[in-house]
């Protein structure tokens, strides 16, 4: 069934003539007849009865009139909405962001976007990357900034920015006094890391393994929320060495609560990706917001994701 079929149907219902309906729609009478027959066949009902030269609605046809009008009205409303969105006057978009994105650039980017387009509503949800990707797949988010490349084949990922992952220690820890800390020395310390599956923890484990070092002692933090804060708290109390994205620790380092260790061989970075659903676009503003993020990165001199 198509909107054109319903438009033809309503025109015939209003005029009461296939021939006159054709003239009103700038098509011939045979085209009108074919459309009505096709619609009746799809609905499996008879829509009109001929009484002399007039086409009268059947009972089913009468029931269809308000439904068809409602469909056409909604279609017209969609078109008007798209025009508004195209002009960036109205609309809404649901954006998700991993913690590293929120801490580095996303909050500022959204504020900038809303200042430029005050008629657009932006809903922001901060979650862990796996939850964000799930929300995107389920249609709860229109777009998300993930802390890693998407895992689902249904999600498209565009690399956007990266943030350094650093090792932190309590200010009075022996390693905090060293100018540079070699990985072999670090491997002997107790490391405070988050549970299996955490992207930063996995990066750290792979890095040590690639350099031929075994993590001899570790305290694994298992939690669904507040993991970064628990790691920081453990480090401050001298429990061990932690690993965290730089953006989440800058304030604590400046306040002297922790010390960022200098490890020339660490060189770990947390990548961020703009993620969208490949087959479903829940908001017409998705490509608009993606393009805005690209421009925002250029405007901030590619410093997004670097604590700028």
């Amino acid at each position: 069934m198509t909107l054109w079929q319903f438009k033809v149907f309503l025109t015939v219902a209003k005029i009461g003539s296939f021939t006159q309906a054709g003239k009103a729609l700038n098509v011939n009478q045979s085209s009108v007849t074919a459309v009505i027959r096709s619609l009746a066949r799809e609905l499996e009902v008879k829509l009109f009865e001929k009484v002399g030269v007039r086409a009268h609605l059947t009972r089913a046809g009468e029931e269809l009139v308000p439904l068809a009008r409602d469909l056409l009205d909604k279609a017209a409303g969609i078109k008007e909405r798209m025009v508004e969105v195209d002009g960036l006057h109205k609309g809404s978009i649901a954006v998700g962001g991993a913690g590293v994105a929120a801490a580095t650039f996303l909050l500022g980017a959204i504020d900038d976007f809303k200042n430029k387009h005050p008629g657009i509503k932006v809903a922001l949800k901060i979650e862990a990357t796996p939850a964000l990707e799930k929300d995107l797949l389920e249609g709860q988010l229109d777009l998300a900034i993930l802390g890693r490349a998407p895992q689902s084949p249904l999600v498209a990922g565009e690399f956007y920015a990266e943030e350094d992952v650093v090792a932190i220690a309590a200010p009075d820890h022996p390693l905090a006094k060293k100018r540079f800390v070699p990985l072999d020395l670090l491997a002997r310390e107790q490391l405070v890391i988050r549970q299996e599956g955490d992207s930063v923890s996995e990066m750290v484990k792979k890095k040590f393994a690639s350099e031929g070092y075994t993590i001899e002692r570790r305290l694994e933090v298992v939690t669904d929320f507040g993991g970064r804060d628990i790691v920081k708290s453990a480090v401050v109390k001298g429990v061990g060495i932690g690993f965290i994205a730089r953006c989440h620790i800058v304030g604590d380092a400046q306040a002297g609560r922790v010390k960022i260790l200098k490890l020339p061989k660490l060189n770990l970075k947390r990548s961020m990706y703009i993620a969208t659903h490949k087959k479903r676009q829940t908001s017409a503003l998705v490509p608009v917001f993606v393009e805005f993020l690209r421009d925002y990165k250029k405007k901030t001199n590619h410093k997004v994701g670097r604590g700028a």
Side-chain angles (χ1 to χ4, degrees), residues 24 36 42 50 64 98 154 169 172 198 254 269 289 298:
I36 296 301
E42 290 183 57
K50 271 233 173 178
L64 182 59
L154 293 175
D172 58 353
D198 175 69
Q254 291 175 343
K269 296 183 183 296
F289 195 78
K298 293 176 184 176

Side-chain angles (χ1 to χ4, degrees), residues 190-206:
Q190 173 153 282
L191 304 185
V192 183
I193 58 177
R194 295 172 70 179
Q195 70 264 35
E196 195 80 22
D198 175 69
S199 57
V200 170
S201 298
E202 294 305 311
M203 288 169 61
V204 171
K205 292 174 187 175
K206 287 180 182 178

